[in-house]
Amino acid sequence: MAAPAAEAVERADETVDLLLDAGREPGDILVLTVGEAHPWQQHEVTFGEERYWAQLAEGGDVFYADAALTRPARREVVVLAVNGGTADRAAEAFTKALGHAAGLLVVCGDAGPAAAAAAGASAGRPVPA
């Protein structure tokens, strides 16, 4: 879903709504941000890091995290909001998001770096990890 960086999180939220309306379970969806943290993530972290990360393990709701997520997380659908950062960071985030997505990856924002990473992967060239 093409959008300027300033609108990427809004597009990601719209995508989540569409996925839920189409019958996806909330626990099937992981939303990752490249730039500033999603407002819901910012809100949840206020209750403490332990409680925030417990939600990931519980897997019952949409989970919001930074694209640099290093914890094991595999969800059926990953929505990647390219809402800032450099092109290199976006390409790296795309590659990591692919690893978290079991079935579907939706990129919201500037897909240019993600498309370049995908082209590298499909051509057999190394993709930034």
Side-chain angles (χ1 to χ4, degrees):
M1 302 217 18
E7 297 175 15
V9 169
E10 182 179 336
R11 294 291 170 265
D13 289 342
E14 291 169 0
T15 300
V16 169
D17 289 342
L18 289 170
L19 290 163
L20 294 172
D21 289 347
R24 297 281 183 168
E25 293 296 320
D28 290 344
I29 303 170
L30 173 64
V31 178
L32 301 174
T33 54
V34 175
E36 184 177 339
H38 188 282
W40 191 251
Q41 177 188 0
Q42 293 174 25
H43 168 76
E44 291 299 316
V45 169
T46 65
F47 297 105
E49 290 283 328
E50 187 174 317
R51 178 68 200 125
Y52 169 72
W53 290 113
Q55 292 177 20
L56 175 63
E58 292 164 2
D61 206 351
V62 177
F63 191 77
Y64 299 84
D66 186 279
L69 177 69
T70 58
R71 293 179 184 238
R74 189 117 169 113
R75 298 276 175 111
E76 185 62 29
V77 180
V78 174
V79 179
L80 176 64
V82 184
N83 60 324
T86 65
D88 286 345
R89 174 132 156 72
E92 178 181 328
F94 174 80
T95 302
K96 290 186 84 166
L98 275 176
H100 294 299
L104 177 65
L105 171 61
V106 180
V107 178
C108 299
D110 180 3
S122 65
R125 293 187 303 265
V127 177

